Amino acid sequence: NAPDPVAFRGPEQLTNFRFGESIQLLGVSLPQGLTYLPDAVLPISLFWMTDQPVGRDYTVAWFLVDVTQTRIVQGLDTQPVWGFAPTSGWSLGVPVIDNRGLRLPLDLPAGEYQIWLRLYESGSPENVLPVQGGNPVDEVTAVLSESLFVEMPVQP
């Protein structure tokens, strides 16, 4: 279930990532917690904002990565809010709540995982915005600070 769109809420985990000159990731919420089973849906809410006009539209790419930094599965690349909130139309100082979901692979091994994020110019995936703040893995990839855990289901 998606979070209530009219309820007042803020992110569970604050971040200080800045993509390019103006796009900020204020925080992240993982409404189902940090522990999952294989084949479960991983929901995430990204809280974006800008403090300057964004002259272009950007697409969000997000990945589940294991401890060896191997990309396990990728979420669907879309503009924020499934394309209904293109970055070029954002109002200054107004948060944009971007709810996403990703089905975990059925054969996903138990272990620790991270979520990585990138923003790239829509239609030009090679034009990735640089990221500052937090704990980026490189100059264009933000790493969310909390790890996720996958556990095997209990057998009866």
Side-chain angles (χ1 to χ4, degrees), residues 72-153:
I72 301 301
V73 64
Q74 180 171 347
L76 183 64
D77 289 12
T78 64
Q79 292 180 23
V81 193
W82 293 91
F84 289 100
T87 54
S88 63
W90 287 1
S91 298
L92 303 183
V94 177
V96 174
I97 302 171
D98 184 16
N99 298 317
R100 295 172 176 265
L102 174 67
R103 180 161 304 276
L104 300 175
L106 182 60
D107 60 351
L108 185 64
E112 184 176 347
Y113 297 87
Q114 292 179 319
I115 296 174
W116 290 6
L117 294 171
R118 291 183 180 166
L119 261 68
Y120 63 86
E121 188 175 339
S122 297
S124 299
E126 67 281 359
N127 292 337
V128 183
L129 284 178
V131 64
Q132 298 173 359
N135 184 26
V137 69
D138 57 31
E139 62 276 353
V140 296
T141 308
V143 179
L144 301 186
S145 62
E146 292 197 64
S147 293
L148 300 176
F149 299 92
V150 173
E151 298 178 343
M152 291 294 106

Side-chain angles (χ1 to χ4, degrees), residues 1-14 26-31 44-48 81 95-100:
N1 295 332
D4 182 350
V6 295
F8 176 79
R9 69 182 196 279
E12 295 170 350
Q13 175 188 348
L14 298 176
L26 301 175
V28 175
S29 290
L30 295 161
I44 188 169
S45 296
L46 305 171
F47 292 74
W48 302 103
V81 193
V96 174
I97 302 171
D98 184 16
N99 298 317
R100 295 172 176 265

